[in-house]
């Protein structure tokens, strides 16, 4: 018991110097409390206009920061431009009257529309969609607002005059040869001229397959033989054999790639030219000079005979 009392006494007994320090600390604490409570503090007046101005400046800084980094890993980074620069971009190209429903790929490029946007428009048209009024071109993904403003005054939708419908009917008629085959008594279709409705008229071909055929034809640059249609994704061999007798490919005028000027990116867009083959073609040209004959492609080891045969109609010097 005495030991416990001694321990308590040791803990709660202070020397003269310690007591003095405790009193000083208590005095300072009370002094700080009183100063904070009763001493008037000068308030800073900030005008609402100044606050709004600083807030807007902060927002501009954040937007600029986002525009610098958000697209670093995106495939479209090289074409990206922050919206606040749109007012400074000047569309280039030759302006002329045009119908967006019938204008071909070269026509869009003449107007100054970028290749990627031209492909978007081509896919839009191939799926059966139509522009009904000039302002509809604003809906084109990738077409900048200022570019649309420049093009709209030159848009002429011929459908308003009853002409567009007649053009479509004329093309459909020319795509289908009405000469009857004596054995099948069915219509013969030229696969380079037919539209979706002509393909849909074939047994086993619906809207989706008809659209795929046309998209494949566009990527190829035109069919060079009837058998190529059978390569379209989704067409069963049994279906192709059933319709093959009703198909023809007369005087094919296919789009060719110049192997002396095309780069690897342009070459690889063709369905028959894979990325490694495109690189090999360009590398061989860089090492040995311009191709003197298309047959020189046989010297590239990774191009086998089957690949060369399929590529041949689509390449030139």
């Amino acid at each position: 018991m005495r030991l416990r009392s001694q321990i308590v006494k040791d803990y709660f007994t202070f020397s003269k110097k310690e007591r003095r320090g405790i009193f000083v600390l208590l005095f300072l604490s009370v002094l700080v409390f009183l100063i904070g409570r009763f001493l008037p503090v000068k308030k800073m007046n900030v005008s609402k206009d100044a606050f709004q101005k600083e807030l807007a400046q902060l927002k501009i800084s954040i937007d600029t920061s986002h525009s610098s980094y958000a697209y670093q890993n995106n495939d479209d980074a090289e074409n990206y431009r922050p919206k606040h620069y749109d007012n400074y971009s000047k569309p280039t190209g030759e302006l002329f009257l045009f119908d967006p429903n019938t204008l071909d790929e070269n026509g869009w490029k003449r107007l100054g529309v970028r290749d990627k946007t031209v492909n978007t428009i081509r896919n839009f048209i191939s799926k059966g969609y139509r522009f009904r009024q000039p302002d509809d071109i604003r809906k084109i993904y990738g077409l900048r607002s200022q570019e649309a403003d420049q093009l709209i005054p030159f848009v002429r939708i011929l459908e308003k005059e009853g002409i567009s419908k007649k053009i479509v009917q004329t093309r459909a008629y020319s795509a289908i040869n009405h000469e009857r085959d004596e054995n099948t008594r069915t219509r013969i279709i030229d696969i380079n001229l037919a539209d979706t409705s002509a393909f849909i008229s074939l047994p086993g071909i619906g809207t989706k397959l008809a659209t795929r055929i046309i998209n494949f034809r566009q990527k190829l640059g035109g069919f060079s033989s009837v058998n190529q249609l059978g390569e379209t994704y989704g067409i069963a061999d049994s279906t192709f054999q059933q319709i093959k007798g009703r198909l023809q490919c007369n005087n094919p005028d296919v789009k060719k790639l110049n192997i002396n000027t095309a780069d690897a990116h342009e070459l690889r867009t063709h369905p028959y030219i894979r990325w490694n083959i495109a690189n090999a073609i360009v590398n061989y040209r860089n090492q040995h000079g311009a191709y003197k004959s298309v047959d020189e492609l046989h010297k590239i080891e990774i191009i086998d005979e089957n690949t060369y045969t399929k590529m041949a109609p689509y390449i030139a010097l």
Side-chain angles (χ1 to χ4, degrees), residues 95-309:
L95 295 176
F96 54 87
L97 299 180
F98 68 97
D99 183 347
N101 290 317
T102 58
L103 189 65
D104 60 14
E105 182 178 342
N106 291 330
W108 286 106
K109 290 180 180 180
R110 279 179 58 200
L111 290 169
V113 178
R114 294 174 297 282
D115 291 348
K116 190 169 183 179
T117 306
V118 172
N119 290 334
T120 300
I121 299 169
R122 186 177 61 185
N123 292 334
F124 179 84
I125 296 295
S126 68
K127 291 179 181 179
Y129 297 105
R130 291 292 180 269
F131 298 96
R132 303 298 179 188
Q133 55 188 5
D135 272 357
D136 283 350
I137 69 171
R138 294 187 185 277
K139 301 176 183 178
I140 299 173
Y141 180 77
L143 189 69
R144 297 189 182 112
S145 176
Q146 189 172 357
E147 292 174 326
D149 290 340
Q150 189 178 34
L151 295 178
I152 285 175
F154 294 88
V155 174
R156 297 294 183 269
I157 307 293
L158 300 180
E159 189 175 0
K160 291 182 178 181
E161 304 172 15
I163 299 175
S164 181
K165 187 175 180 181
K166 183 177 180 181
I167 292 175
V168 172
Q169 290 175 341
T170 302
R171 288 183 176 177
Y173 182 85
S174 62
I176 301 174
N177 186 345
H178 288 278
E179 294 181 2
R180 300 287 181 173
D181 184 89
E182 293 182 359
N183 296 323
T184 60
R185 303 291 295 173
T186 55
R187 292 180 295 182
I188 306 300
I189 296 175
D190 190 313
I191 59 175
N192 275 326
L193 297 176
D195 57 11
T196 52
S197 61
F199 285 121
I200 291 172
S201 69
L202 297 169
I205 305 296
T207 304
K208 184 177 291 187
L209 281 179
T211 301
R212 286 179 182 172
I213 292 171
I214 290 179
N215 288 340
F216 184 49
R217 182 177 69 191
Q218 290 174 340
K219 289 178 180 179
L220 284 171
F223 291 115
S224 62
S225 73
V226 168
N227 288 332
Q228 286 178 290
L229 189 139
E231 299 174 13
T232 304
Y233 176 76
I235 296 182
D237 183 64
S238 57
T239 301
F240 176 65
Q241 295 303 326
Q242 184 181 5
I243 65 176
K244 186 175 179 180
R246 294 181 54 179
L247 307 177
Q248 66 180 11
C249 184
N250 291 335
N251 301 319
D253 183 19
V254 299
K255 181 180 178 180
K256 295 180 181 287
L257 294 169
N258 189 325
I259 56 175
N260 277 331
T261 59
D263 58 21
H265 180 75
E266 183 180 356
L267 291 170
R268 71 168 297 214
T269 59
H270 197 278
Y272 291 156
I273 305 178
R274 299 188 304 275
W275 178 250
N276 59 337
I277 293 179
N279 277 336
I281 292 174
V282 174
N283 289 337
Y284 185 90
R285 183 179 70 204
N286 292 338
Q287 294 172 7
H288 301 279
Y291 291 95
K292 297 179 177 59
S293 169
V294 173
D295 289 338
E296 284 188 64
L297 294 179
H298 282 115
K299 298 179 181 179
I300 300 176
E301 292 183 2
I302 63 173
I303 300 179
D304 55 32
E305 189 60 34
N306 181 54
T307 302
Y308 175 80
T309 301

Side-chain angles (χ1 to χ4, degrees), residues 11-30:
Y11 270 104
F12 292 98
T13 301
F14 303 98
S15 65
K16 185 178 180 180
K17 187 176 182 180
E18 288 172 337
R19 289 195 298 271
R20 186 181 301 153
I22 292 172
F23 286 128
V24 171
L25 182 62
L26 288 174
F27 176 76
L28 291 176
S29 299
V30 172

